[in-house]
Amino acid sequence: MAIFFNEFTRYKGKSESGQVFTPDHIANLMYRITETTYKDTVLDACCGSGTFLVRAMCNMIHEVQRNGIDVEDRIKQIKSERLYGIEFDKEVFALICANMLVHKDGKTNIDHNDSRTLEAAQWIKSKKITRVLMNPPYESKYGCLDIVSNVLNNVQDGCIAAFILPDNKLVIGKSYVKRWFNKHTLQKIIKLPDVFGGMAGVSTSIFIFKVGEPQQD
């Protein structure tokens, strides 16, 4: 069922809200390069069909199973306390609820909300997020940079936040970026090949920030 669901969302392509669904192997790459573990609390504030959250859940469960200590309790904790998502589009919100259900998690901690709002900011702040894995919609009309700002400014200090963004987004949004660098550090930019099969319409990279440490120089 999980394999079928992933194939279905891959062929579904771009949603009406400008989202391009992330391939599972890219979600797994971002999990690894951010050094995320079962001890982290993960947020995807534009969670779409839930690829990042499902991949994080599966990896975390494998980690505790390998560890072999208090496995059942830790798996319950992963599903109830370690995975948080926000999705604005009603149809896509239903999609992620179905996806989490297929992966035996129901719709734990998935909020139907707009990630640009004060309400969403307060919700994010209350969760004590330590890792962000996200692929927000790229178009300005969907508030890409506003979403990134709201996430960076409301996760806890020390959080590692990874976003897939168009290569030129930080150049275009220079005024946003100056404000980000007053509070946060851009640690890495990792260039991606065309992982979206041309659906994104732009070349993309993974931008990795450390929250709460101003950019030096």
Side-chain angles (χ1 to χ4, degrees):
M1 284 294 292
I3 292 168
F4 168 80
F5 193 91
N6 287 335
E7 287 300 299
F8 173 80
T9 53
R10 184 165 69 88
Y11 283 104
K12 185 178 186 298
K14 195 170 185 176
S15 80
E16 291 179 2
S17 295
Q19 295 157 318
V20 178
F21 297 110
T22 311
D24 182 66
H25 68 283
I26 298 299
N28 193 44
L29 170 69
M30 290 173 65
Y31 182 94
R32 289 190 294 112
I33 62 178
T34 55
E35 299 182 340
T36 305
T37 74
Y38 71 91
K39 296 178 181 179
D40 285 301
T41 304
V42 176
L43 170 72
D44 182 353
C46 297
C47 58
S49 62
T51 301
F52 284 111
L53 297 179
V54 169
R55 173 44 52 200
M57 178 173 68
C58 292
N59 287 359
M60 288 175 172
I61 289 171
H62 288 157
E63 288 165 18
V64 300
Q65 287 173 336
R66 284 198 303 268
N67 186 282
I69 301 172
D70 300 327
V71 172
E72 292 303 318
D73 288 343
R74 287 183 174 181
I75 289 175
K76 286 179 183 176
Q77 185 184 48
I78 288 167
K79 293 181 177 183
S80 62
E81 300 176 18
R82 300 298 189 196
L83 306 164
Y84 293 91
I86 301 174
E87 179 51 49
F88 176 68
D89 185 282
K90 284 184 180 179
E91 289 185 3
V92 179
F93 177 73
L95 201 62
I96 185 176
C97 290
N99 196 4
M100 298 302 274
L101 182 62
V102 165
H103 289 82
K104 300 179 181 177
D105 182 43
K107 61 184 184 73
T108 302
N109 299 322
I110 309 298
D111 189 31
H112 182 218
N113 208 333
D114 185 337
S115 296
R116 297 168 289 184
T117 63
L118 177 60
E119 182 184 354
Q122 292 171 339
W123 188 84
I124 292 169
K125 189 173 287 187
S126 70
K127 306 307 177 189
K128 298 181 179 178
I129 303 298
T130 62
R131 291 291 186 275
V132 174
L133 306 173
M134 281 183 61
N135 180 21
Y138 303 147
E139 293 93 333
S140 297
K141 65 180 178 179
Y142 298 120
C144 175
L145 295 176
D146 290 320
I147 292 169
V148 174
S149 291
N150 220 17
V151 169
L152 288 175
N153 292 334
N154 290 287
V155 296
Q156 68 178 22
D157 287 352
C159 173
I160 302 299
F163 304 90
I164 300 177
L165 296 170
D167 292 341
N168 64 350
K169 204 66 175 178
L170 270 61
V171 177
I172 294 171
K174 203 174 290 185
S175 60
Y176 283 89
V177 175
K178 285 181 180 178
R179 292 197 296 272
W180 296 348
F181 286 176
N182 287 333
K183 299 179 181 178
H184 318 296
T185 298
L186 177 60
Q187 292 187 318
K188 299 174 187 172
I189 302 172
I190 301 171
K191 184 76 184 76
L192 291 175
D194 182 12
V195 296
F196 302 110
M199 287 185 293
V202 291
S203 57
T204 58
S205 295
I206 302 169
F207 294 79
I208 302 177
F209 292 86
K210 186 168 186 181
V211 175
E213 288 187 8
Q215 190 87 35
Q216 301 300 321
D217 263 344

